[in-house]
């Protein structure tokens, strides 16, 4: 083969086609990797510890709740894992103890779809602990087929909003006594599509699992946060909510994705890991810089403005009053106060 033939092979032959394609492929892979890193968001890296602080995390046997409980346990907190499934919670508890060396991690049953279970959990906790420093309202369900809780509420409204509404109020005095203390509410950017249906709050007339009931419950989280922050002004208790991002957890099991095979995995490639998804709520729970900040909505650790329908005071007031009636809040508070006088439980 002549020198001229070699030159043609290198510059005009197959390599002339393969090298640009390889360059383009590398550029695409780099772009996708950088995009994925951007979507993962920032991590909370301040080293502050919370030794001896008492923390409740709901729905933490898996996903971002488990990642949150793990990190808070690593920083020295006494963790109460409030989960519906006691068996799975116990497995997660033992894993957290093994990974952190923190023996003060407890398994407690809490079914947010049952107001009786919420009351029982609160009564037991108040009998066990004299303080509560951080309450993380993490548990939730998404886009489920229409189903009612044991108390007759549409389950996404019941679990995502009403259960946590009752739980927080039952523990409010303990939070005040422990001030400075914090409430962290896990909401979602899907609140943007939500509207509080005053004439059909329970989705009896019409039901849409994702853009309807779920989005309404996430909007309720934001309105609850803002109203509670207003009520707690000056008490030393702060309350903030956050959007964790699109995270690879069991929460999305009812979502149907277009396409199959490779497309499905390509979509999930850009989702956050549970550890990345937990970072914003960890900042809200831990960051000393946020000790005086309340009533905010955060995403990727940044405070963002909310839409007008999420900051409407009249809607927030109506939802609070309606939620009080639905969960029987006044009666629950009185009953809880009477029961905690006589209940004494020793932590394992």
């Amino acid at each position: 083969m002549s020198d001229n033939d070699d030159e043609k092979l290198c510059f005009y032959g197959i390599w002339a086609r393969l090298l640009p394609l390889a360059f383009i492929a590398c550029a695409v892979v780099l772009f996708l990797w950088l995009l994925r890193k951007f979507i993962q968001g920032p991590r909370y890296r301040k080293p502050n510890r919370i030794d001896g602080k008492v923390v409740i995390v709901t729905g933490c046997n898996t996903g971002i709740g488990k990642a949150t409980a793990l990190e808070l346990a690593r920083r020295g907190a006494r963790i109460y894992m409030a989960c519906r499934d006691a068996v799975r919670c116990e497995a997660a508890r033992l894993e957290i103890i093994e990974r952190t060396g923190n023996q003060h991690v407890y398994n407690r049953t809490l079914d947010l779809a049952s107001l009786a279970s919420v009351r029982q959990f609160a009564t037991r906790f108040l009998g066990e602990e004299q303080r509560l420093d951080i309450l993380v309202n993490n548990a939730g369900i998404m886009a489920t087929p229409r189903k009612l809780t044991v108390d007759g509420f549409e389950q996404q409204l019941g679990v995502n909003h009403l259960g946590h509404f009752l739980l927080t109020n039952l523990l409010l005095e303990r939070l005040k006594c422990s001030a400075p203390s914090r409430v962290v509410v896990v909401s979602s950017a899907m609140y943007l599509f939500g509207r509080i249906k005053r004439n059909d709050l329970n989705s009896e007339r019409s039901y849409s699992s994702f853009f309807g009931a779920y989005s309404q419950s996430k909007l309720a989280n934001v309105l609850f946060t803002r109203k509670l922050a207003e009520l707690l002004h000056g008490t030393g208790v702060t309350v903030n909510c956050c959007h964790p991002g699109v995270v690879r957890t069991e929460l999305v099991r009812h979502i149907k994705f277009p396409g199959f095979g490779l497309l499905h995995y390509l979509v999930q490639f850009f989702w956050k890991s549970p550890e990345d998804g937990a970072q914003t709520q960890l900042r809200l729970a831990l960051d000393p810089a946020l000790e005086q900040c309340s009533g905010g909505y955060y995403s990727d650790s940044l405070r963002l403005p909310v839409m007008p329908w999420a900051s409407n005071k009249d809607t927030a007031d109506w939802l609070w009053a309606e939620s009080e009636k639905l969960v029987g809040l006044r009666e629950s508070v009185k009953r809880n106060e009477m029961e905690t006088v006589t209940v004494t439980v020793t932590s394992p």
Side-chain angles (χ1 to χ4, degrees), residues 155-265:
Q155 64 175 350
Q156 295 188 85
L157 177 73
V159 171
N160 296 348
H161 170 60
L162 293 174
H164 281 128
F165 176 88
L166 177 60
L167 175 67
T168 305
N169 276 283
L170 292 177
L171 300 175
L172 213 48
E173 290 306 314
R174 195 57 45 93
L175 283 161
K176 291 178 182 178
C177 293
S178 308
S181 53
R182 306 186 185 196
V183 179
V184 179
V185 180
V186 178
S187 182
S188 167
M190 285 302 298
Y191 91 84
L192 293 167
F193 300 94
R195 299 294 185 274
I196 300 300
K197 300 181 290 185
R198 298 196 187 195
N199 297 322
D200 191 25
L201 191 64
N202 214 34
S203 301
E204 295 172 323
R205 299 178 184 176
S206 63
Y207 183 75
S208 169
S209 63
F210 191 50
F211 289 99
Y214 177 71
S215 297
Q216 177 183 237
S217 72
K218 295 292 102 178
L219 174 58
N221 291 155
V222 180
L223 292 166
F224 166 70
T225 297
R226 295 177 65 85
K227 179 63 178 179
L228 184 59
E230 175 190 324
L231 295 173
L232 291 174
H233 180 71
T235 65
V237 184
T238 61
V239 52
N240 292 287
C241 62
C242 66
H243 167 58
V246 182
V247 187
R248 292 190 301 273
T249 70
E250 294 180 0
L251 189 67
V252 300
R253 60 186 176 273
H254 294 288
I255 299 293
K256 305 299 182 183
F257 298 100
F260 300 94
L262 182 60
L263 178 60
H264 176 77
Y265 292 105

Side-chain angles (χ1 to χ4, degrees), residues 1 22 44 46 55 85 92 112 133 137 168 172 185 201 213 233 260 280 282 284 295 300 307 311 322 327:
M1 185 180 290
Y44 181 74
K46 292 184 181 179
V55 178
D85 189 327
L112 290 160
D133 300 280
N137 289 335
T168 305
L172 213 48
V185 180
L201 191 64
H233 180 71
F260 300 94
T280 300
L282 283 170
L284 295 180
D300 284 336
M307 293 296 103
S311 59
E322 188 67 15
V327 303

